[in-house]
Amino acid sequence: MGNFGDMAGNAGPPPAARDALRRDRRRAPAVTVGVEEEYLLVDPVSRKLSPSADKVVAGACGELGDRVSTEITRYQVEGRTDPHTDLAALARQLRATRGSIARAAGRLGLHIVSSGTPVLGHPVPPPFTGGPRYAESLAQFRALDHEQSTCACHIHVGVPDLPTALRVSNHVRPWLPALVTLAANSPFWGGQDTGYASWRTLVWGRWPVSGPPPFFESQSHFEDLVGDLIATGTTLDRGGVYWDIRPSHHVPTVEVRVADAASTVDDTVLLAGVVRALADTALRETAAGLSPPRPEPEILRAACWRAARDGLGGAGIDLSTRRLVPAAAQVDRLLDRTRPALERHGDLPLVSAAWARLRAHGTGADRQRAAFRRHGNPVDVVDHLIASTARAEDTAF
C-alpha cells in the first residue's frame, strides 16, 4: 500500500490532528458491524430462478428466527446477522446463515446463489411477494419494480444518533466508487454479459432516490429533503430512501448499500471490515474537527458509473484530478486511509489477506466471467455461484 492523504489529493489531516487521532487510537470501544445479504433461488436443472421464497423462509425460520425474511420478489431471500465487533465471529454467523438457508432450499430441491443479478432466465416482470407495501410500490413506481430481482449486500455500522450517521455519510461518500469496485459481482443479465462488472448498480440507479447521497449540511437539511421526497411521492417513506449510504430507519446504524451481493463469505467480510473502518475513521475525524472533501455530485456519480462498468481490472475516476487511474490503486488508497482503524479493531491481517486474494483471483464479477470462459456456457456461471455461496470452509477468515 502506498501513502495516501484524502480524496482531495491533499496531505491528509494536519499534524496536530494526526497526533490527536493517533493518541485516541485505543480509547474508544469497538464499532459494531452487521450485514444483510440477499440471495436468489435457482432450480438445479434449468439453473433459472425459482419463485419459492416464502417456502424457503418458512423452512429456515426454525434455525434463524427473524434473521431470515422474504424480499420484494418471490425469487429472493434475505439473511441478516447480529451486530458484531469481531470480524471472525461475523464470518462464522454468515456461513451459518447461508448454510441454514441453503438447507431449507435444498429440502425443496433448490439451491441459493449470491450474485448481484440473476445469470439465466428472463426475470422481467418477476412474481412479487404479497403485502400492501409491495403493492403500493408497484402502483407508484410501475416498471421500476419489474427489474428488482437484483440482490445487494448492506453493511450496518453502529452509531449513536442521526446527526452522527449524517456526518459519517458525508465522510464516506467520496469512497463509494472504490466500494463499488471492491464488491462488483453482477456481470450477467438474462444469460448475456452486460459488459459491466456491476450491472446491479445500473439497474438500481434508475430509482429516483438512489446512488450517492447528497452532502448533508445539518440534520434539518436531511429531514427537510426526505420530507419533500415523501410529500411529492418520490419515495414511499423513509424505508424507500435508497441512497448508497443512509441512516437506517429502524435500527441505530448508518447503512452502506452500494455493494452487490457477494459470492463468498470472505468477500462479504472484507467489505464489512473496510466499511466499518471507513465509518470509524469518519467518527474520529469528525470528533477532531476535520471536514470531509466534497466532490461535485456529477463527478461522484460518474465515478460510481465507471467503477460499475470496469470493476477492479479497469480504470476509475480520481475525484480530485478528474483523471483516470487504475482501479486497484484506488482500493489501495482506501485501505491506506483506513489502516489505523483496521489496526484498532484487529482487522488488518484479515482484510489484508482477503484483499491479496481478491487481487490474485479477481472480484466476484471476474470469477463469474472466468467460469463462463471455460465452456462459453452461462450454466457454468450458475454452478460456480452455487458452489461459492454455500462454501463451508474458511479461507481468509
Side-chain angles (χ1 to χ4, degrees), residues 11 256 361:
V256 177
H361 301 290

Side-chain angles (χ1 to χ4, degrees), residues 76-371:
Q76 298 164 292
V77 175
E78 180 178 275
R80 295 179 290 278
T81 74
D82 298 315
H84 288 270
T85 57
D86 178 66
L87 279 190
L90 175 66
R92 288 192 294 271
Q93 189 172 46
L94 279 167
R95 292 188 195 283
T97 300
R98 288 188 178 203
S100 295
I101 296 172
R103 286 191 295 273
R107 289 191 288 270
L108 298 171
L110 303 173
H111 292 300
I112 67 169
V113 299
S114 188
S115 173
T117 50
V119 175
L120 282 173
H122 299 281
V124 178
F128 292 105
T129 301
R133 177 175 175 78
Y134 292 142
E136 185 180 3
S137 177
L138 183 60
Q140 185 79 347
F141 299 110
R142 304 168 190 180
L144 278 179
D145 274 344
H146 290 179
E147 296 188 352
Q148 293 318 302
S149 53
T150 61
C151 291
C153 175
H154 299 162
I155 308 297
H156 287 261
V157 179
V159 292
D161 50 38
L162 176 58
T164 304
L166 297 176
R167 288 192 290 270
V168 169
S169 176
N170 287 343
H171 278 262
V172 172
R173 65 193 285 273
W175 297 101
L176 288 171
L179 294 177
V180 172
T181 295
L182 197 64
N185 186 39
S186 55
F188 291 93
W189 180 265
Q192 300 296 316
D193 191 325
T194 64
Y196 282 76
S198 176
W199 184 243
R200 184 203 64 86
T201 298
L202 274 293
V203 172
W204 198 250
R206 298 171 186 175
W207 284 80
V209 188
S210 64
F215 186 99
F216 296 112
E217 304 290 349
S218 63
Q219 181 176 345
S220 61
H221 176 208
F222 170 82
E223 298 281 10
D224 290 346
L225 179 57
V226 172
D228 290 342
L229 292 169
I230 295 171
T232 57
T234 312
T235 184
L236 296 181
D237 50 31
R238 287 191 179 228
V241 172
Y242 295 142
W243 287 314
D244 292 336
I245 314 170
R246 69 176 184 183
S248 173
H249 64 287
H250 64 284
V251 289
T253 67
V254 61
E255 180 183 6
V256 177
R257 305 165 47 85
V258 74
D260 291 346
S263 60
T264 70
V265 167
D266 284 355
D267 289 348
T268 299
V269 178
L270 168 61
L271 179 72
V274 171
V275 168
R276 173 169 66 170
L278 270 174
D280 183 52
T281 301
L283 289 168
R284 290 166 185 266
E285 292 184 348
T286 296
L290 301 176
S291 299
R294 297 182 64 167
E296 292 186 25
E298 295 82 2
I299 298 299
L300 179 56
R301 189 173 182 90
C304 287
W305 167 80
R306 183 82 190 208
R309 194 192 76 170
D310 286 3
L312 187 60
I317 298 175
D318 184 294
L319 294 178
S320 58
T321 66
R322 303 186 184 185
R323 296 184 181 275
L324 295 178
V325 297
Q330 290 187 306
V331 178
D332 277 334
R333 291 177 176 181
L334 167 61
L335 297 180
D336 277 354
R337 183 68 159 152
T338 57
R339 186 184 183 96
L342 292 169
E343 290 176 338
R344 277 193 295 273
H345 288 90
D347 295 341
L348 184 61
L350 300 179
V351 167
S352 296
W355 172 227
R357 178 189 56 76
L358 205 70
R359 291 197 75 160
H361 301 290
T363 62
D366 297 322
R367 299 192 298 269
Q368 285 195 41
R369 284 174 168 149

